[in-house]
Amino acid sequence: MDGLRAAQVKVEVLTPADLQREEPFLARDLPGGLYFPQDAQVQPMLACAALLKAAKTLGATFLPQTALLSVELDEKGKVRAAVTGAGRIETPRLVNAAGPWSSPLAGLVGLDLPTRPRKGHIIVTEPLPKIVWHKVFEGSYADTVNSGEAALQVASVVEATKSGTILLGSSRQLVGFDPAVDTLVLKAIARRAVRFYPVLAGVQALRAYAGFRSFTPDHLPVIGESKQAPGFFINTGHEGAGIGLGPISAKLLSQLILGQPPALDPVPFRPERFERVGAV
Ligand SMILES: Cc1cc2nc3c(=O)[nH]c(=O)nc-3n(C[C@H](O)[C@H](O)[C@H](O)COP(=O)(O)OP(=O)(O)OC[C@H]3O[C@@H](n4cnc5c(N)ncnc54)[C@H](O)[C@@H]3O)c2cc1C
């Protein structure tokens, strides 16, 4: 609590009665909770579309569905060009922001970046009358995020959307890039959600999906320029918080690229804490 407050995160302690007032459909046997009044929700695809529009207004060019295939380095090992599915682009700077795929892309310049895909499943319920008012997650959620466990871990996250559906999470597994939706994981998520919201027991699931988060061994993002391949910038490893952290991490990266004073201390995020030279 003190750590949160020192970081200017507002937090209030809720008694069982407060919990019932804030979330009337929560299970009645919970001992209390914490409320974060600054917390907010965003629809990630709409946020992405808005950022794309803003960037285009500022002169950015986009090449959708275009893969980076290789990176040309000069005789000093500095970035010279990106070779993409749409041709060669001469540039002294390149940003590897490929999320869970950042490690293979770092391999294009011979860097061994130890990020790994951390799989997560989500269940989307049928549209429902209002039963969830806040984004609610159980206290052990932080433990699952901060663990390095490869096996399945589940901690309940329940949040409603504007359309009335409810999103149920969360699962974490280090099982490579296997995109299959696993019904055993869905059952574990559903069971946990019903523990906190018994009313969900009779609700239909509309769909479920799995995705990958970019996991780093020390649970911090990787933001900055590679020491071993100058001009090759990295912005990845945001795990399950890349939507929330995206704007500040992009701001920090842009300041590092432009040589401006950084908005926050970049040292904990430096790529060289992991960099090992691999085979090009
Ligand atoms: C189940 C689940 C729930 C989550 N919940 C939350 C949440 O509640 N809040 C939150 O903040 N975050 C959440 N996240 C995490 C969030 O989605 C990620 O942190 C975020 O998407 C990372 O953004 P990114 O742009 O770094 O990477 P990504 O969104 O993964 O994008 C990487 C891009 O790189 C592209 N790419 C790959 N290879 C190449 C190549 N060779 N050339 C060109 N492009 C390439 C990919 O196609 C992809 O478009 C969740 C993730 C999952 C899986």
Side-chain angles (χ1 to χ4, degrees), residues 86-118:
R88 180 179 179 278
I89 302 168
E90 198 143 328
T91 174
R93 284 176 218 90
L94 204 57
V95 178
N96 174 1
W101 298 272
S102 299
S103 181
L105 286 202
L108 295 178
V109 294
L111 300 177
D112 188 1
L113 192 67
T115 53
R116 293 165 72 191
R118 202 175 203 192

mmCIF file of all heavy atoms in Angstrom, residues 86-118:
data_model
loop_
_atom_site.group_PDB
_atom_site.id
_atom_site.type_symbol
_atom_site.label_atom_id
_atom_site.label_comp_id
_atom_site.label_asym_id
_atom_site.label_seq_id
_atom_site.Cartn_x
_atom_site.Cartn_y
_atom_site.Cartn_z
ATOM 1 N N ALA A 86 7.711 -5.624 -48.670
ATOM 2 C CA ALA A 86 7.376 -4.597 -49.667
ATOM 3 C C ALA A 86 8.638 -3.918 -50.202
ATOM 4 O O ALA A 86 8.566 -2.858 -50.805
ATOM 5 C CB ALA A 86 6.448 -3.558 -49.044
ATOM 6 N N GLY A 87 9.796 -4.525 -49.935
ATOM 7 C CA GLY A 87 11.044 -3.972 -50.482
ATOM 8 C C GLY A 87 12.009 -3.502 -49.401
ATOM 9 O O GLY A 87 11.747 -3.631 -48.202
ATOM 10 N N ARG A 88 13.133 -2.915 -49.894
ATOM 11 C CA ARG A 88 14.213 -2.481 -48.989
ATOM 12 C C ARG A 88 13.985 -1.015 -48.600
ATOM 13 O O ARG A 88 13.668 -0.185 -49.459
ATOM 14 C CB ARG A 88 15.542 -2.639 -49.736
ATOM 15 C CG ARG A 88 16.774 -2.245 -48.951
ATOM 16 C CD ARG A 88 18.006 -2.489 -49.810
ATOM 17 N NE ARG A 88 19.228 -2.106 -49.117
ATOM 18 C CZ ARG A 88 19.693 -0.864 -49.046
ATOM 19 N NH1 ARG A 88 19.064 0.121 -49.655
ATOM 20 N NH2 ARG A 88 20.805 -0.607 -48.387
ATOM 21 N N ILE A 89 14.132 -0.712 -47.295
ATOM 22 C CA ILE A 89 13.957 0.674 -46.823
ATOM 23 C C ILE A 89 15.253 1.090 -46.148
ATOM 24 O O ILE A 89 15.631 0.528 -45.121
ATOM 25 C CB ILE A 89 12.783 0.781 -45.827
ATOM 26 C CG1 ILE A 89 11.475 0.297 -46.470
ATOM 27 C CG2 ILE A 89 12.639 2.208 -45.315
ATOM 28 C CD1 ILE A 89 10.337 0.089 -45.491
ATOM 29 N N GLU A 90 15.942 2.057 -46.752
ATOM 30 C CA GLU A 90 17.187 2.537 -46.145
ATOM 31 C C GLU A 90 16.870 3.372 -44.910
ATOM 32 O O GLU A 90 16.025 4.272 -44.960
ATOM 33 C CB GLU A 90 17.957 3.367 -47.166
ATOM 34 C CG GLU A 90 19.392 3.508 -46.769
ATOM 35 C CD GLU A 90 20.328 3.460 -47.983
ATOM 36 O OE1 GLU A 90 20.039 2.771 -48.974
ATOM 37 O OE2 GLU A 90 21.331 4.152 -47.913
ATOM 38 N N THR A 91 17.489 3.054 -43.807
ATOM 39 C CA THR A 91 17.230 3.793 -42.563
ATOM 40 C C THR A 91 18.346 3.534 -41.554
ATOM 41 O O THR A 91 18.825 2.411 -41.450
ATOM 42 C CB THR A 91 15.873 3.377 -41.918
ATOM 43 O OG1 THR A 91 15.758 4.025 -40.647
ATOM 44 C CG2 THR A 91 15.770 1.889 -41.696
ATOM 45 N N PRO A 92 18.749 4.556 -40.782
ATOM 46 C CA PRO A 92 19.754 4.313 -39.740
ATOM 47 C C PRO A 92 19.118 3.835 -38.432
ATOM 48 O O PRO A 92 19.843 3.504 -37.501
ATOM 49 C CB PRO A 92 20.390 5.689 -39.551
ATOM 50 C CG PRO A 92 19.310 6.658 -39.902
ATOM 51 C CD PRO A 92 18.426 5.989 -40.930
ATOM 52 N N ARG A 93 17.785 3.843 -38.346
ATOM 53 C CA ARG A 93 17.119 3.445 -37.094
ATOM 54 C C ARG A 93 15.925 2.548 -37.375
ATOM 55 O O ARG A 93 15.161 2.791 -38.326
ATOM 56 C CB ARG A 93 16.608 4.682 -36.341
ATOM 57 C CG ARG A 93 17.699 5.439 -35.648
ATOM 58 C CD ARG A 93 17.190 6.696 -35.000
ATOM 59 N NE ARG A 93 18.190 7.748 -35.156
ATOM 60 C CZ ARG A 93 18.253 8.595 -36.160
ATOM 61 N NH1 ARG A 93 17.343 8.571 -37.112
ATOM 62 N NH2 ARG A 93 19.215 9.488 -36.219
ATOM 63 N N LEU A 94 15.776 1.580 -36.508
ATOM 64 C CA LEU A 94 14.689 0.625 -36.657
ATOM 65 C C LEU A 94 14.175 0.314 -35.252
ATOM 66 O O LEU A 94 14.979 0.204 -34.327
ATOM 67 C CB LEU A 94 15.292 -0.645 -37.261
ATOM 68 C CG LEU A 94 14.434 -1.615 -38.022
ATOM 69 C CD1 LEU A 94 13.745 -0.930 -39.189
ATOM 70 C CD2 LEU A 94 15.328 -2.739 -38.560
ATOM 71 N N VAL A 95 12.857 0.200 -35.082
ATOM 72 C CA VAL A 95 12.329 -0.167 -33.753
ATOM 73 C C VAL A 95 11.707 -1.563 -33.830
ATOM 74 O O VAL A 95 10.821 -1.807 -34.657
ATOM 75 C CB VAL A 95 11.264 0.852 -33.266
ATOM 76 C CG1 VAL A 95 10.693 0.413 -31.916
ATOM 77 C CG2 VAL A 95 11.858 2.253 -33.165
ATOM 78 N N ASN A 96 12.192 -2.439 -32.999
ATOM 79 C CA ASN A 96 11.615 -3.773 -32.877
ATOM 80 C C ASN A 96 10.541 -3.714 -31.786
ATOM 81 O O ASN A 96 10.848 -3.741 -30.603
ATOM 82 C CB ASN A 96 12.718 -4.777 -32.503
ATOM 83 C CG ASN A 96 12.181 -6.180 -32.222
ATOM 84 O OD1 ASN A 96 10.990 -6.429 -32.326
ATOM 85 N ND2 ASN A 96 13.081 -7.084 -31.875
ATOM 86 N N ALA A 97 9.274 -3.586 -32.227
ATOM 87 C CA ALA A 97 8.154 -3.541 -31.275
ATOM 88 C C ALA A 97 7.209 -4.695 -31.603
ATOM 89 O O ALA A 97 5.997 -4.524 -31.671
ATOM 90 C CB ALA A 97 7.434 -2.189 -31.361
ATOM 91 N N ALA A 98 7.798 -5.869 -31.835
ATOM 92 C CA ALA A 98 7.011 -7.003 -32.323
ATOM 93 C C ALA A 98 6.452 -7.863 -31.195
ATOM 94 O O ALA A 98 6.139 -9.039 -31.409
ATOM 95 C CB ALA A 98 7.838 -7.841 -33.289
ATOM 96 N N GLY A 99 6.296 -7.308 -30.018
ATOM 97 C CA GLY A 99 5.642 -8.027 -28.919
ATOM 98 C C GLY A 99 6.243 -9.412 -28.719
ATOM 99 O O GLY A 99 7.466 -9.557 -28.600
ATOM 100 N N PRO A 100 5.412 -10.438 -28.700
ATOM 101 C CA PRO A 100 5.920 -11.792 -28.446
ATOM 102 C C PRO A 100 6.893 -12.277 -29.529
ATOM 103 O O PRO A 100 7.619 -13.227 -29.302
ATOM 104 C CB PRO A 100 4.652 -12.652 -28.454
ATOM 105 C CG PRO A 100 3.514 -11.710 -28.329
ATOM 106 C CD PRO A 100 3.958 -10.392 -28.856
ATOM 107 N N TRP A 101 6.856 -11.638 -30.692
ATOM 108 C CA TRP A 101 7.754 -12.039 -31.792
ATOM 109 C C TRP A 101 9.051 -11.223 -31.790
ATOM 110 O O TRP A 101 9.843 -11.309 -32.724
ATOM 111 C CB TRP A 101 7.031 -11.890 -33.150
ATOM 112 C CG TRP A 101 5.839 -12.780 -33.234
ATOM 113 C CD1 TRP A 101 5.815 -14.080 -33.675
ATOM 114 C CD2 TRP A 101 4.489 -12.463 -32.858
ATOM 115 N NE1 TRP A 101 4.553 -14.586 -33.569
ATOM 116 C CE2 TRP A 101 3.708 -13.623 -33.077
ATOM 117 C CE3 TRP A 101 3.860 -11.338 -32.343
ATOM 118 C CZ2 TRP A 101 2.341 -13.667 -32.812
ATOM 119 C CZ3 TRP A 101 2.503 -11.389 -32.069
ATOM 120 C CH2 TRP A 101 1.757 -12.537 -32.306
ATOM 121 N N SER A 102 9.280 -10.432 -30.748
ATOM 122 C CA SER A 102 10.483 -9.583 -30.710
ATOM 123 C C SER A 102 11.764 -10.392 -30.677
ATOM 124 O O SER A 102 12.790 -9.948 -31.195
ATOM 125 C CB SER A 102 10.454 -8.680 -29.468
ATOM 126 O OG SER A 102 9.332 -7.865 -29.522
ATOM 127 N N SER A 103 11.712 -11.544 -30.039
ATOM 128 C CA SER A 103 12.935 -12.345 -29.934
ATOM 129 C C SER A 103 13.411 -12.822 -31.311
ATOM 130 O O SER A 103 14.582 -12.608 -31.658
ATOM 131 C CB SER A 103 12.703 -13.513 -28.971
ATOM 132 O OG SER A 103 13.864 -14.253 -28.856
ATOM 133 N N PRO A 104 12.537 -13.445 -32.133
ATOM 134 C CA PRO A 104 12.998 -13.803 -33.479
ATOM 135 C C PRO A 104 13.471 -12.590 -34.285
ATOM 136 O O PRO A 104 14.441 -12.696 -35.049
ATOM 137 C CB PRO A 104 11.786 -14.465 -34.143
ATOM 138 C CG PRO A 104 10.718 -14.566 -33.112
ATOM 139 C CD PRO A 104 11.220 -14.023 -31.824
ATOM 140 N N LEU A 105 12.822 -11.426 -34.100
ATOM 141 C CA LEU A 105 13.260 -10.239 -34.863
ATOM 142 C C LEU A 105 14.622 -9.743 -34.376
ATOM 143 O O LEU A 105 15.449 -9.302 -35.178
ATOM 144 C CB LEU A 105 12.230 -9.110 -34.776
ATOM 145 C CG LEU A 105 10.947 -9.290 -35.585
ATOM 146 C CD1 LEU A 105 10.282 -7.950 -35.856
ATOM 147 C CD2 LEU A 105 11.206 -9.978 -36.899
ATOM 148 N N ALA A 106 14.875 -9.825 -33.056
ATOM 149 C CA ALA A 106 16.193 -9.439 -32.548
ATOM 150 C C ALA A 106 17.256 -10.367 -33.120
ATOM 151 O O ALA A 106 18.391 -9.953 -33.378
ATOM 152 C CB ALA A 106 16.204 -9.483 -31.019
ATOM 153 N N GLY A 107 16.855 -11.625 -33.363
ATOM 154 C CA GLY A 107 17.775 -12.602 -33.965
ATOM 155 C C GLY A 107 18.241 -12.171 -35.349
ATOM 156 O O GLY A 107 19.326 -12.567 -35.795
ATOM 157 N N LEU A 108 17.466 -11.302 -36.032
ATOM 158 C CA LEU A 108 17.861 -10.836 -37.371
ATOM 159 C C LEU A 108 19.147 -10.016 -37.308
ATOM 160 O O LEU A 108 19.846 -9.881 -38.313
ATOM 161 C CB LEU A 108 16.743 -9.991 -38.010
ATOM 162 C CG LEU A 108 15.424 -10.711 -38.327
ATOM 163 C CD1 LEU A 108 14.415 -9.725 -38.904
ATOM 164 C CD2 LEU A 108 15.656 -11.860 -39.301
ATOM 165 N N VAL A 109 19.451 -9.399 -36.149
ATOM 166 C CA VAL A 109 20.715 -8.654 -36.014
ATOM 167 C C VAL A 109 21.658 -9.391 -35.052
ATOM 168 O O VAL A 109 22.586 -8.809 -34.490
ATOM 169 C CB VAL A 109 20.512 -7.183 -35.570
ATOM 170 C CG1 VAL A 109 19.782 -6.401 -36.638
ATOM 171 C CG2 VAL A 109 19.780 -7.093 -34.241
ATOM 172 N N GLY A 110 21.387 -10.665 -34.838
ATOM 173 C CA GLY A 110 22.299 -11.484 -34.044
ATOM 174 C C GLY A 110 22.146 -11.339 -32.546
ATOM 175 O O GLY A 110 23.036 -11.735 -31.798
ATOM 176 N N LEU A 111 20.995 -10.769 -32.088
ATOM 177 C CA LEU A 111 20.802 -10.615 -30.641
ATOM 178 C C LEU A 111 19.930 -11.750 -30.106
ATOM 179 O O LEU A 111 18.954 -12.136 -30.748
ATOM 180 C CB LEU A 111 20.122 -9.286 -30.314
ATOM 181 C CG LEU A 111 20.857 -8.037 -30.757
ATOM 182 C CD1 LEU A 111 20.021 -6.801 -30.422
ATOM 183 C CD2 LEU A 111 22.211 -7.953 -30.074
ATOM 184 N N ASP A 112 20.315 -12.240 -28.945
ATOM 185 C CA ASP A 112 19.565 -13.305 -28.302
ATOM 186 C C ASP A 112 18.737 -12.668 -27.183
ATOM 187 O O ASP A 112 19.210 -12.487 -26.077
ATOM 188 C CB ASP A 112 20.578 -14.318 -27.738
ATOM 189 C CG ASP A 112 19.896 -15.567 -27.231
ATOM 190 O OD1 ASP A 112 18.661 -15.637 -27.329
ATOM 191 O OD2 ASP A 112 20.602 -16.449 -26.724
ATOM 192 N N LEU A 113 17.508 -12.252 -27.517
ATOM 193 C CA LEU A 113 16.643 -11.554 -26.548
ATOM 194 C C LEU A 113 15.749 -12.602 -25.882
ATOM 195 O O LEU A 113 14.975 -13.265 -26.563
ATOM 196 C CB LEU A 113 15.795 -10.529 -27.312
ATOM 197 C CG LEU A 113 15.035 -9.490 -26.520
ATOM 198 C CD1 LEU A 113 15.969 -8.523 -25.817
ATOM 199 C CD2 LEU A 113 14.110 -8.716 -27.471
ATOM 200 N N PRO A 114 15.845 -12.743 -24.533
ATOM 201 C CA PRO A 114 15.134 -13.872 -23.909
ATOM 202 C C PRO A 114 13.653 -13.620 -23.630
ATOM 203 O O PRO A 114 13.129 -14.039 -22.601
ATOM 204 C CB PRO A 114 15.923 -14.079 -22.614
ATOM 205 C CG PRO A 114 16.369 -12.710 -22.248
ATOM 206 C CD PRO A 114 16.597 -11.970 -23.550
ATOM 207 N N THR A 115 12.947 -12.884 -24.512
ATOM 208 C CA THR A 115 11.501 -12.727 -24.333
ATOM 209 C C THR A 115 10.824 -14.001 -24.832
ATOM 210 O O THR A 115 11.314 -14.649 -25.758
ATOM 211 C CB THR A 115 10.968 -11.514 -25.111
ATOM 212 O OG1 THR A 115 11.395 -11.629 -26.465
ATOM 213 C CG2 THR A 115 11.483 -10.214 -24.538
ATOM 214 N N ARG A 116 9.694 -14.339 -24.209
ATOM 215 C CA ARG A 116 8.981 -15.558 -24.595
ATOM 216 C C ARG A 116 7.492 -15.275 -24.665
ATOM 217 O O ARG A 116 6.988 -14.394 -23.966
ATOM 218 C CB ARG A 116 9.220 -16.652 -23.556
ATOM 219 C CG ARG A 116 10.650 -17.127 -23.527
ATOM 220 C CD ARG A 116 10.937 -17.919 -22.270
ATOM 221 N NE ARG A 116 10.309 -19.224 -22.268
ATOM 222 C CZ ARG A 116 10.240 -20.016 -21.191
ATOM 223 N NH1 ARG A 116 10.748 -19.619 -20.048
ATOM 224 N NH2 ARG A 116 9.670 -21.191 -21.260
ATOM 225 N N PRO A 117 6.768 -16.008 -25.532
ATOM 226 C CA PRO A 117 5.313 -15.792 -25.588
ATOM 227 C C PRO A 117 4.634 -16.391 -24.371
ATOM 228 O O PRO A 117 4.845 -17.565 -24.063
ATOM 229 C CB PRO A 117 4.903 -16.545 -26.863
ATOM 230 C CG PRO A 117 5.984 -17.539 -27.111
ATOM 231 C CD PRO A 117 7.248 -17.021 -26.479
ATOM 232 N N ARG A 118 3.861 -15.585 -23.664
ATOM 233 C CA ARG A 118 3.111 -16.091 -22.506
ATOM 234 C C ARG A 118 1.634 -16.124 -22.889
ATOM 235 O O ARG A 118 0.994 -15.079 -23.047
ATOM 236 C CB ARG A 118 3.347 -15.192 -21.301
ATOM 237 C CG ARG A 118 3.056 -15.907 -19.994
ATOM 238 C CD ARG A 118 3.420 -15.047 -18.838
ATOM 239 N NE ARG A 118 3.669 -15.817 -17.637
ATOM 240 C CZ ARG A 118 3.786 -15.288 -16.429
ATOM 241 N NH1 ARG A 118 3.701 -13.992 -16.268
ATOM 242 N NH2 ARG A 118 4.018 -16.039 -15.387
#
